[in-house]
Amino acid sequence: MAGSSPEIGSVERRAGAPVAAEALRITGRERRPVFGSAVTACAAALLVGGGIVVAGFVASWGLFLAARRDAEFSIANEDSYVAYADQWSSLVKVAFGVYPLLLLVAVVLFAWLLTAQAVVAAYARERTASGADAATVPGALTLRALWCRCRPHLGSALRVQLLTLPCVLVPALAGLLVLAAIQLEMVPGVVWPTYHDPATVQFILVGRILPVVIWALGFVLLTRFSLATAVRVADNCSARAAMRRSWTLTRTARLRTTGVCLLGTGAVAVAYMVLKWLGTYVAHWAGLLMLATTDDNVWVTGVLVIITPVAVALVFLPLALAPVGVLLACLRERLDGGAGEARAPSGALVG
């Protein structure tokens, strides 16, 4: 009777328990590998991403000094001036070098997080199926063991993220392009509203509803491929095969998949806003330190204060993304009936 209870419990969870509840159970039970992988991602984001940002500041240092000289010269002559007027194009060039590198770091860390959580979810299912308790199983999933189990999947997981990236970038840029075209008065009959001229019906349709529709279609497309990394871990297949399998699994569960992804996105968005708010306190002290070390150079200090809250939020965001990775792995199992684990045990050590 006691020996069959784990299997009965597993069937009952798959039949009736919400996916989110199962993900929370696994996250709580396997919190060491879940949040250990997240802390590793945070450290990598701080070191690598922080190094890229620092390199960007170093490359732009002369531009900030020139902006200060121009501003002080204009103020001394009682002339009007525009901030970074002569340095703007060069600063944009530096930004175009920094942003792709930061995006690449984000893609690599996201691939690691999703792979790690898929492995953790498979490991939790194996322990549940064996009827063993988390505290008594020999060789519990340490961070080193997690890395060994993730390593064979990371290359394909990275390719999955690179193939999925256009699903994010193309709709995001398309929606922004619509707004930019309106602001540049390139759309006939659509005028950006001002204080004296309220928004017209044409602007509401083209400038408000159309970008939202484009972004929503992009989000739906992204949800269809959201299970690809978990499929790769479960099936040990190629990146393209994993994406095709994800598309197939979500085809008959579009609303369910979209709802789960909205839940995860909402949780990450709330975490981002909280972390960004906490980052304002870091930005305050960072700004004071920059003023003290640069002889009150407000031009570089202003940029630092603006980007610091966002940087703090992005560095610690893996702590919120890790449970979402568990959620997607649980959704994959629910839609696939747990078949992937039987075909290719993701917990097995390779090599």
Side-chain angles (χ1 to χ4, degrees):
M1 190 78 172
S4 61
S5 59
E7 293 186 14
I8 296 174
S10 178
V11 172
E12 289 176 350
R13 280 196 303 275
R14 288 177 181 153
V19 177
E22 177 70 3
L24 288 174
R25 185 192 69 82
I26 293 176
T27 301
R29 187 177 180 183
E30 309 293 341
R31 54 189 175 274
R32 278 188 63 190
V34 169
F35 291 107
S37 62
V39 170
T40 302
C42 291
L46 179 61
L47 295 175
V48 182
I52 294 172
V53 173
V54 169
F57 268 97
V58 171
S60 306
W61 198 257
L63 301 173
F64 291 124
L65 296 179
R68 177 179 184 173
R69 287 194 301 268
D70 292 347
E72 290 176 347
F73 181 79
S74 298
I75 293 172
N77 290 294
E78 298 183 353
D79 295 331
S80 61
Y81 66 94
V82 177
Y84 310 109
D86 297 327
Q87 296 80 30
W88 183 252
S89 59
S90 298
L91 288 172
V92 169
K93 291 178 182 178
V94 174
F96 273 112
V98 169
Y99 287 156
L101 293 176
L102 292 177
L103 182 60
L104 179 60
V105 172
V107 169
V108 171
L109 294 182
F110 198 60
W112 156 250
L113 283 172
L114 291 184
T115 303
Q117 308 325 314
V119 169
V120 169
Y123 177 79
R125 291 194 301 271
E126 292 166 8
R127 293 212 296 180
T128 300
S130 66
D133 185 75
T136 60
V137 173
L141 195 60
T142 62
L143 193 58
R144 181 173 181 177
L146 178 64
W147 164 253
C148 292
R149 297 174 186 228
C150 290
R151 188 171 54 192
H153 305 292
L154 287 177
S156 293
L158 180 58
R159 287 191 287 274
V160 166
Q161 302 310 313
L162 293 175
L163 291 172
T164 309
L165 192 60
C167 299
V168 179
L169 292 182
V170 172
L173 294 177
L176 293 176
L177 184 61
V178 171
L179 297 177
I182 295 173
Q183 194 160 20
L184 295 174
E185 299 181 355
M186 298 173 61
V187 182
V190 180
V191 180
W192 199 275
T194 63
Y195 180 77
H196 299 287
D197 299 319
T200 62
V201 175
Q202 294 90 332
F203 176 79
I204 293 174
L205 291 175
V206 180
R208 292 289 182 261
I209 297 178
L210 181 58
V212 172
V213 170
I214 294 174
W215 293 331
L217 290 175
F219 179 79
V220 172
L221 185 62
L222 183 62
T223 62
R224 299 296 302 275
F225 294 122
S226 60
L227 308 183
T229 303
V231 169
R232 156 64 201 185
V233 172
D235 296 356
N236 199 26
C237 56
S238 67
R240 293 183 182 275
M243 295 184 71
R244 287 195 296 268
R245 181 61 178 162
S246 176
W247 187 272
T248 301
L249 288 175
T250 57
R251 180 182 299 164
T252 57
R254 292 186 179 93
L255 291 178
R256 186 180 191 182
T257 303
T258 303
V260 169
C261 290
L262 280 174
L263 176 63
T265 303
V268 172
V270 171
Y272 174 81
M273 296 304 297
V274 172
L275 290 169
K276 186 178 177 182
W277 171 70
L278 294 174
T280 58
Y281 295 96
V282 179
H284 172 73
W285 292 106
L288 293 178
L289 180 61
M290 182 62 76
L291 286 173
T293 56
T294 59
D295 193 22
D296 294 336
N297 188 334
V298 297
W299 306 102
V300 64
T301 302
V303 174
L304 179 65
V305 170
I306 289 174
I307 70 171
T308 296
V310 176
V312 170
L314 293 178
V315 165
F316 289 100
L317 200 59
L319 295 174
L321 287 172
V324 174
V326 178
L327 179 65
L328 294 176
C330 291
L331 179 62
R332 196 286 316 167
E333 184 205 9
R334 193 70 60 92
L335 296 181
D336 204 16
E341 182 184 350
R343 287 192 294 270
S346 57
L349 289 172
V350 179

